[in-house]
Amino acid sequence: MKTWLLKCLGVLALVAPGAHAGDVLPLVQQSVQAGVRAELSLSAEQAGLAPVGKPVKIALTLTDELSGTPLRGLRPRMWMSRQGADKAEPCKTQIRRFASGRLAQRADRDLNSFQLLTLNADASVSVINPLLQLNNTKLEALIPLPGVGTDWVHARGMDRLFVTLADRGELAVVDLGTQKLAKVIALGSGKPRRLAISPDESTVWVAMDDADRLISVDANTLERKADLPIGAGSHALVISDDGQRLAVTSSGADQVSVIDAREGRVIASVKVPGTPLPLTYSALSRRAYVGSLNAPSLTVIDLDDGRVVKRVDVPRPISALRADPSGRHVLGVNTAGSLLMAFDAASGSLVAQSQVVAQPDQIAFTQRFAFIRGLGSLSVQMVELRSLDEGRLALSELPVFQKLPNQMPEHVGPADLMAAGPEPGTMLLGSATDTALYYYTEGMMAPQGTYATYSRAARAVRVIDRSLKETAPGVYTGSIKLDRGGRYSLPLLLEQPRLAHCYALAIDETGTTADGRRLNVAYQWPEAADIRTGRDWELQIRLTDAQSGAAVTGVRDLQLMVLERPGLSQQRQFAQEREPGVYVVRQRFPRPGVWRLMVQSVSQRLSFDRSPLLDQAVRTADIPSDTSAATNAPR
């Protein structure tokens, strides 16, 4: 039989029984340059082969080579690039390309960037990349939802977005790695609006308005777990910083339910008169603060035992509440009276009050300032948090919007339209009426930039920061999730001190079918082929069962897709079986460049997004060559 040159991109191509083609985690790699020791550690929840579709944790430790002193306050830049067309490139060439920010030069994963997400009134989620260098758009993706989203949370480790669809009684799950809708979970009676996620990102809690129900969903398996009674009406919910306690308001029952989140049971039902709904939590005091829409009072509840610590009389009923990042202060607003109230979290007492922008309804924070949106104002109120320590309110106004937010009341919901930016002292402010996002930096008199929402009314905005963060002295951590196996390069760049190095990671690339079977897919061009334009090339595709090694025969719907990178055009055609498990197509490439090959088979339940890939370099026909252009040599 003809010798097969297995050029399947990635780490698996017809491996021998008992062998594996992926790296085993945890994996540690080191490099030393310019007196800097850089140690990269890659790990997953469970030890073993590097997984596809599950989070891989990255820890980069930077120390002085001689003294071992941690190097603090650096900004390491790192990418993750699937090997193929880039395989023969020097490390510095890869770094130079990825650092350019151009769409055609982007890595598979950029661990330096941040994305702006908007939850849109047209039942979609927009992914906006401010660093994308295109003249006409920075819209990276538009993800359709089955209904209009109301509230959302982000599971950073799994890179999943959970979105409540109130009018459909469902919870939508969006995979931000693939930028696709992953699942829709039916929740039954009631309208899911507000939700919260546990600090360890294992559980999503969904409160069902117009129903006496609180539902928990396993964030990993996406299966429903507990269904608890919490009282009727509308609900807000907060979870403690350790994930042990949950508080849920119920406006119709005039009560707050305190829940043991680990055991999934209600431990106390606290009566709070006057339609309790606004709710916040201070990690410093471990207390929940509850406002009443129809009574001028603030109720303070100890979440450890569900005991009412204090009831505070306030000037006006509270419409919204939010604790500052330090947990020392709680801010509340009365929308109808345009009143701001500041409370001391420890004592629960009112320390200051002031008139602010018209119809305040949302509160957000940076480390130094509180930002208060007013539905009836073109400006945002800023409060210097340091002034609260002195028992006063230092106020300033920031002109932002072109149209009043209350001109589109149908898009005013529970989710925030303000979010702290990735850099300290920055704030992102969304406007449904302006169809725009405004980027503000502290100390300036106006927003520093504007991002279009492409004529979509944003009901909420969120910042997804993908950069490595210093979580311990000299230790910079992050997380990635890959939807494809293969050989990956992880280029690292430090500007000062200067360091450039490429690490490597191999992930098992067996094709996985929808019913859980695993298929090996191997691509083969003619021996020593130098793939060029201007002629047909015979491509052979071999399918084998990953467990038994047996040929997969009789597949009549094996389809090859050839995609011009970065997604400019594509071709599709069906392959014909020439011998058992060997399928053949004749492929012509219209232009030079890099073309990505993948297969699907409906009968085998193997889709393009689960198929192993081949990135193939194609050159112009009239350029002489004495080397092979195939980008995927056998391992």
Side-chain angles (χ1 to χ4, degrees):
M1 179 182 287
K2 182 189 295 182
T3 300
W4 280 82
L5 296 177
L6 303 179
K7 297 176 181 177
C8 180
L9 177 66
V11 296
L12 184 62
L14 296 181
V15 296
H20 68 78
D23 286 327
V24 174
L25 302 185
L27 177 67
V28 177
Q29 302 177 50
Q30 290 188 351
S31 66
V32 178
Q33 287 183 26
V36 176
R37 182 178 300 277
E39 179 181 281
L40 182 69
S41 174
L42 301 166
S43 62
E45 184 176 350
Q46 295 181 340
L49 289 177
V52 174
K54 294 184 179 180
V56 174
K57 296 178 181 178
I58 295 176
L60 177 67
T61 303
L62 301 174
T63 57
D64 181 84
E65 179 187 5
L66 298 179
S67 67
T69 303
L71 300 180
R72 307 188 63 175
L74 302 181
R75 296 181 61 84
R77 302 183 67 186
M78 181 170 279
W79 300 264
M80 195 163 186
S81 174
R82 196 173 190 279
Q83 291 296 276
D86 308 327
K87 183 176 180 181
E89 283 187 323
C91 181
K92 291 183 179 180
T93 304
Q94 293 185 50
I95 291 173
R96 190 179 303 113
R97 291 198 305 111
F98 298 148
S100 71
R102 292 189 294 270
L103 179 63
Q105 306 294 340
R106 296 179 66 198
D108 292 86
R109 292 291 183 272
D110 188 339
L111 301 179
N112 320 286
S113 65
F114 68 98
Q115 295 168 319
L116 312 179
L117 271 58
T118 60
L119 185 61
N120 303 319
D122 66 348
S124 68
V125 172
S126 294
V127 181
I128 299 168
N129 188 339
L131 304 180
L132 196 61
Q133 293 188 9
L134 288 177
N135 293 328
N136 58 342
T137 183
K138 293 185 180 294
L139 183 64
E140 184 175 290
L142 184 66
I143 307 169
L145 299 174
V148 178
T150 309
D151 197 7
W152 55 359
V153 293
H154 177 233
R156 177 183 171 95
M158 292 171 287
D159 210 11
R160 284 175 174 167
L161 201 64
F162 294 85
V163 186
T164 51
L165 309 177
D167 292 340
R168 295 174 58 92
E170 296 172 336
L171 180 67
V173 185
V174 175
D175 187 325
L176 291 179
T178 61
Q179 297 180 336
K180 294 180 181 179
L181 181 68
K183 187 174 182 179
V184 178
I185 304 169
L187 300 177
S189 62
K191 293 185 175 182
R193 283 197 171 89
R194 295 170 176 86
L195 75 172
I197 188 167
S198 60
D200 63 1
E201 299 183 343
S202 65
T203 305
V204 176
W205 296 88
V206 186
M208 305 295 289
D209 282 6
D210 303 332
D212 180 12
R213 303 176 66 211
L214 175 71
I215 298 171
S216 66
V217 175
D218 189 301
N220 293 288
T221 65
L222 305 182
E223 298 296 328
R224 287 170 50 179
K225 299 192 298 183
D227 195 328
L228 306 178
I230 53 171
S234 298
H235 310 288
L237 66 166
V238 292
I239 193 164
S240 63
D241 58 314
D242 59 8
Q244 294 184 5
R245 291 289 188 267
L246 191 72
V248 188
T249 57
S250 298
S251 63
D254 278 354
Q255 75 176 29
V256 175
S257 300
V258 180
I259 294 163
D260 186 317
R262 300 289 171 85
E263 297 183 5
R265 63 184 181 90
V266 179
I267 63 173
S269 295
V270 182
K271 283 297 179 181
V272 178
T275 319
L277 186 61
L279 179 66
T280 193
Y281 169 79
S282 165
L284 188 63
S285 66
R286 284 193 59 81
R287 294 172 178 174
Y289 302 80
V290 187
S292 297
L293 297 178
N294 296 311
S297 68
L298 176 75
T299 302
V300 183
I301 301 174
D302 188 313
L303 288 192
D304 288 330
D305 56 15
R307 176 178 55 90
V308 174
V309 176
K310 191 172 185 179
R311 296 190 193 273
V312 183
D313 292 332
V314 298
R316 301 288 294 268
I318 297 173
S319 308
L321 278 170
R322 189 66 62 89
D324 78 339
S326 71
R328 296 178 59 187
H329 306 286
V330 174
L331 295 184
V333 294
N334 173 266
T335 301
S338 301
L339 181 67
L340 169 66
M341 294 162 275
F343 303 91
D344 180 87
S347 66
S349 59
L350 178 67
V351 296
Q353 58 179 300
S354 176
Q355 295 295 125
V356 289
V357 289
Q359 302 175 37
D361 76 317
Q362 288 191 1
I363 307 167
F365 295 95
T366 59
Q367 289 298 318
R368 294 182 55 224
F369 287 91
F371 291 73
I372 301 167
R373 185 186 75 162
L375 292 173
S377 176
L378 298 177
S379 297
V380 169
Q381 195 81 60
M382 295 177 60
V383 183
E384 188 175 6
L385 297 178
R386 185 173 56 183
S387 67
L388 298 178
D389 296 333
E390 304 167 1
R392 62 185 182 89
L393 291 169
L395 303 176
S396 59
E397 282 196 26
L398 173 69
V400 178
F401 307 120
Q402 303 298 313
K403 298 177 183 178
L404 294 175
N406 62 11
Q407 290 182 3
M408 300 181 74
E410 67 275 18
H411 300 319
V412 177
D416 291 333
L417 260 170
M418 298 185 292
E423 299 291 337
T426 60
M427 179 64 70
L428 189 72
L429 306 115
S431 171
T433 51
D434 293 350
T435 62
L437 305 177
Y438 299 96
Y439 197 78
Y440 173 73
T441 302
E442 288 174 6
M444 308 306 293
M445 301 300 294
Q448 297 303 105
T450 304
Y451 301 105
T453 58
Y454 307 97
S455 301
R456 292 178 173 86
R459 297 166 62 96
V461 64
R462 179 175 293 272
V463 177
I464 305 295
D465 188 358
R466 303 194 180 280
S467 61
L468 299 178
K469 298 294 184 184
E470 187 174 12
T471 54
V475 181
Y476 303 83
T477 62
S479 178
I480 55 170
K481 186 176 70 172
L482 299 168
D483 59 329
R484 303 271 190 177
R487 295 179 183 177
Y488 286 87
S489 171
L490 287 85
L492 167 66
L493 173 66
L494 279 181
E495 297 285 356
Q496 188 64 37
R498 188 71 176 182
L499 184 150
H501 181 76
C502 288
Y503 300 94
L505 174 66
I507 297 180
D508 180 16
E509 203 200 8
T510 313
T512 305
T513 65
D515 56 2
R517 292 184 302 115
R518 294 168 66 79
L519 299 178
N520 291 334
V521 180
Y523 305 90
Q524 181 201 1
W525 296 108
E527 192 166 345
D530 180 7
I531 307 301
R532 296 172 178 264
T533 59
R535 57 164 287 190
D536 291 338
W537 296 90
E538 182 178 276
L539 173 67
Q540 297 183 354
I541 306 165
R542 172 171 286 185
L543 299 183
T544 56
D545 184 275
Q547 184 172 3
S548 67
V552 179
T553 63
V555 180
R556 298 180 180 274
D557 60 354
L558 183 66
Q559 187 179 36
L560 173 73
M561 180 166 71
V562 180
L563 179 68
E564 183 179 14
R565 303 205 62 190
L568 301 177
S569 66
Q570 63 173 262
Q571 302 174 22
R572 299 191 188 195
Q573 58 177 311
F574 287 96
Q576 303 297 318
E577 189 170 15
R578 172 174 292 174
E579 56 185 89
V582 179
Y583 300 83
V584 177
V585 296
R586 295 194 65 81
Q587 177 64 44
R588 177 184 291 257
F589 296 96
R591 288 177 294 279
V594 178
W595 294 78
R596 173 162 289 181
L597 283 64
M598 62 197 83
V599 295
Q600 78 168 6
S601 167
V602 175
S603 65
Q604 297 297 311
R605 305 191 70 182
L606 176 67
S607 57
F608 287 129
D609 62 352
R610 292 174 177 266
S611 163
L613 305 175
L614 170 67
D615 277 0
Q616 180 64 50
V618 177
R619 299 198 291 171
T620 304
D622 59 359
I623 297 179
S625 172
D626 54 6
T627 61
S628 174
T631 62
N632 301 289
R635 198 174 180 185

